[in-house]
Amino acid sequence: MTQTILITGASSGIGKATAQLFHDNGWNVIATMRTPENDTELSALKNVLVTRLDVTDSATIASAMQAGIDKFGKIDVLLNNAGYGAYGPLEAFPMERIRRQFDTNVIGLIETTKGVLPHMRANGAGTIVNISSIGGQMTFPLGALYHGTKFAVEGISEAMHYELEAAGIRTKIVEPGMIATDFGGRSFDFVNDEEMTEYQPVVQALFSRWGSPDAGANASPASLVAEVIWTAVTDGTNTLRYRAGADAVELLDNRKAADDATFIGGMKAQLGLT
């Protein structure tokens, strides 16, 4: 029987590339997004259902899953991909935007997972793939909110790895490095208050680094992450973590090898903050 994957955040970037890859490999795809009416490509593909799912809207989670089951019979894999990054001095963020970051990247992931687990338990099988980041195991300045959510995804996923195994359900974490997607555009939320003068040297240093000509030199295409997701889903192992991109491998190896003072000192030196 043809297998089915449900993908959140499939309108662009990693989600869209993964939908295309799984479709090309003969899978049924439930490609979900907040504005499915804007899609012109995935909806034209056979065995792809494009439907609305906003991870902050409980009703859309339930309806998207039911629509997928009604069309394809079951859901074998859930890819929790929807998310965005909030950066800036923590003090400058209003609480409603802080809550939005955690509601999207953490609570939304949890609720979507909870929504599919009864179905997978009844089938005695399934795979949950959660998109984390190198930012789930290391941090950059001004990323308290984004990194907080991705560290949470790592902990949630690792704990789930234990408990879901008894139900025949695998849990996987994919950790991309820098990816050539629109993360710096609509998937990026930056807040600053220039009157908080103490934070401005860090803000300027970070944007100088991100705006440099070589900032995206090591960025991997979204298709590379899709291939890592494909491996995580199909390799038949209980491996928990998968890195995506040469920079992810290098940075996470360096972080693992360094103590806190060494790593933080190196980061500050790179940004000219020493």
Side-chain angles (χ1 to χ4, degrees), residues 85-101:
Y87 266 80
L90 177 65
E91 187 180 351
F93 271 91
M95 282 307 302
E96 62 267 23
R97 289 171 83 165
I98 292 172
R99 290 190 176 96
R100 177 174 175 253
Q101 173 75 127

Side-chain angles (χ1 to χ4, degrees), residues 41-95:
E41 296 178 49
L42 294 176
S43 55
L45 301 176
K46 185 179 179 181
N47 294 333
V48 175
L49 171 65
V50 175
T51 190
R52 183 166 184 261
L53 192 158
D54 180 341
V55 297
T56 66
D57 183 336
S58 302
T60 67
I61 295 172
S63 62
M65 289 184 179
Q66 191 58 56
I69 292 168
D70 289 346
K71 184 170 181 63
F72 298 124
K74 68 172 181 171
I75 299 171
D76 299 281
V77 177
L78 168 63
L79 173 62
N80 281 311
N81 168 69
Y84 75 99
Y87 266 80
L90 177 65
E91 187 180 351
F93 271 91
M95 282 307 302

Side-chain angles (χ1 to χ4, degrees), residues 84-149:
Y84 75 99
Y87 266 80
L90 177 65
E91 187 180 351
F93 271 91
M95 282 307 302
E96 62 267 23
R97 289 171 83 165
I98 292 172
R99 290 190 176 96
R100 177 174 175 253
Q101 173 75 127
F102 278 83
D103 282 345
T104 302
N105 288 14
V106 181
I107 303 302
L109 177 147
I110 289 172
E111 187 165 7
T112 305
T113 301
K114 278 177 59 68
V116 81
L117 283 180
H119 175 74
M120 289 184 172
R121 279 195 301 107
N123 292 331
T127 302
I128 308 290
V129 181
N130 294 330
I131 298 298
S132 178
S133 165
I134 56 171
Q137 296 207 26
M138 56 171 283
T139 69
F140 296 102
L142 306 180
L145 297 179
Y146 175 70
H147 294 298
T149 65

Side-chain angles (χ1 to χ4, degrees), residues 241-253:
R241 288 183 170 87
Y242 298 76
R243 298 171 180 178
D247 61 329
V249 174
E250 180 180 0
L251 285 167
L252 292 179
D253 279 349

Side-chain angles (χ1 to χ4, degrees), residues 14 60 161 199 266-267:
I14 293 168
T60 67
H161 187 74
Y199 301 125
M267 185 68 68

